[in-house]
Amino acid sequence: MRAIRLTRIYDHPREDVWAAIADSQALAAWLMPNDFQPVLGHGFTFRTKPAPGFDGIVHAKVLEIVPPERLVLSWKGGPLDTTVTFDLTALSATRTRLTLVHDGFRGLSNLMPRFFLGLGWRDLTGRKLPDYIARAKSG
Amino acid sequence: MGYVANDQDAFRAIADPNRRKMLDAMMAGEQTVGQLTALLGVRQPTVSQHLRVLRLAGLVGERREGRNCFYSTNPSELAEVAAWLAKYRAFWNDRLDALAVHLKRKESRGV
């Protein structure tokens, strides 16, 4: 399996659910502190507690925004380069189905080159990569 | 070429352009020593030495099948991807619950 797919039904109008996923303050309330703006192409970050192998910063970008239906974000955190899609379907005037798809988890063949490119072959400090490998070994 | 002193020293393992070429090939799929030798156009013992350095650095694993040995980038990496998937699944379940709480709170405030 290379993607996470979750579905929830909320007893709220679609516009209200949209307001909760396409607004910086609302996202901070239920997801993570961020500097999101509902603007196509806007690059921003989510910040959370650092963990081993993860500095706690998710670099994101608005890839698609169709109010009040669909929000697609690029989601880069740790060694991962993924996308997160929120799809909202109005089931009635007061019920909304949210489908969340977190996609782009791939095996080594895709992960490693990106990781190396990100660091740059020349810029490897001799610390980052061994840490990364130690983590992979313990994983 | 020189050996790496420390088996964690992946940085030095990949400092060599031939080893990077080998890694790139192994990322695309399993390789035999013969294939890597053809790729680099160097002598087989040189390839074997490079493989040794990469294996000591934890970057490459080997799989034996009969008399053949196949080399690939380390499969533990795949385990790491699986771990990220599990972590994120738990994360999103938790966050989507938090979204429900957020929506209720907004509603009760009549916002």
Side-chain angles (χ1 to χ4, degrees):
Chain A
M1 187 198 45
R2 295 291 155 81
I4 296 164
R5 188 186 176 88
L6 297 170
T7 300
R8 293 292 171 96
I9 291 169
Y10 296 110
D11 286 324
H12 298 274
R14 181 162 72 168
E15 282 65 26
D16 289 3
V17 181
W18 178 258
I21 67 167
D23 174 81
S24 175
Q25 261 190 306
L27 283 169
W30 67 271
L31 188 52
M32 282 186 273
N34 64 87
D35 55 339
F36 169 86
Q37 283 176 33
V39 175
L40 186 68
H42 175 64
F44 65 102
T45 58
F46 285 106
R47 284 167 192 272
T48 183
K49 262 189 272 172
F54 177 46
D55 59 8
I57 302 172
V58 174
H59 297 269
K61 194 173 173 178
V62 180
L63 298 180
E64 200 182 330
I65 181 161
V66 186
E69 296 174 5
R70 185 175 168 85
L71 178 67
V72 184
L73 304 175
S74 70
W75 187 280
K76 300 179 190 184
L80 297 180
D81 183 352
T82 55
T83 59
V84 174
T85 302
F86 299 90
D87 271 309
L88 301 183
T89 307
L91 300 177
S92 75
T94 56
R95 289 192 98 197
T96 306
R97 182 175 63 222
L98 166 65
T99 305
L100 178 138
V101 178
H102 193 164
D103 201 1
F105 296 89
R106 284 180 228 289
L108 179 72
S109 54
N110 289 303
L111 194 60
M112 289 287 270
R114 283 215 188 106
F115 177 71
F116 286 142
L117 280 176
L119 291 179
W121 289 108
R122 284 158 195 271
D123 298 330
L124 286 166
T125 60
R127 203 168 65 88
K128 281 182 185 170
L129 189 60
D131 282 355
Y132 179 73
I133 288 150
R135 222 170 55 239
K137 277 182 176 170
S138 66
Chain B
M1 157 171 82
Y3 286 102
V4 287
N6 178 341
D7 72 351
Q8 289 287 308
D9 202 346
F11 170 58
R12 286 177 62 185
I14 63 164
D16 181 284
N18 275 334
R19 287 201 286 269
R20 291 206 296 270
K21 235 186 252 178
M22 290 167 66
L23 272 179
D24 285 341
M26 286 183 276
M27 282 167 188
E30 286 185 328
Q31 303 285 321
T32 62
V33 172
Q35 286 172 316
L36 291 169
T37 302
L39 175 77
L40 297 187
V42 297
R43 289 165 54 246
Q44 185 169 319
T46 307
V47 167
S48 296
Q49 266 184 314
H50 280 316
L51 278 171
R52 188 179 131 79
V53 173
L54 290 169
R55 276 170 47 221
L56 285 174
L59 289 170
V60 164
E62 63 180 358
R63 180 177 71 83
R64 288 192 175 277
E65 196 179 290
R67 293 170 58 194
N68 294 319
C69 194
F70 297 92
Y71 296 90
S72 59
T73 37
N74 208 324
S76 65
E77 200 66 29
L78 295 173
E80 201 207 10
V81 172
W84 277 96
L85 272 166
K87 255 187 256 176
Y88 263 118
R89 177 169 283 275
F91 168 82
W92 285 118
N93 262 311
D94 187 46
R95 293 300 92 202
L96 294 185
D97 287 347
L99 173 54
V101 172
H102 170 80
L103 288 166
K104 273 217 178 76
R105 199 186 298 137
K106 280 271 177 195
E107 187 185 53
S108 65
R109 277 190 206 150
V111 178

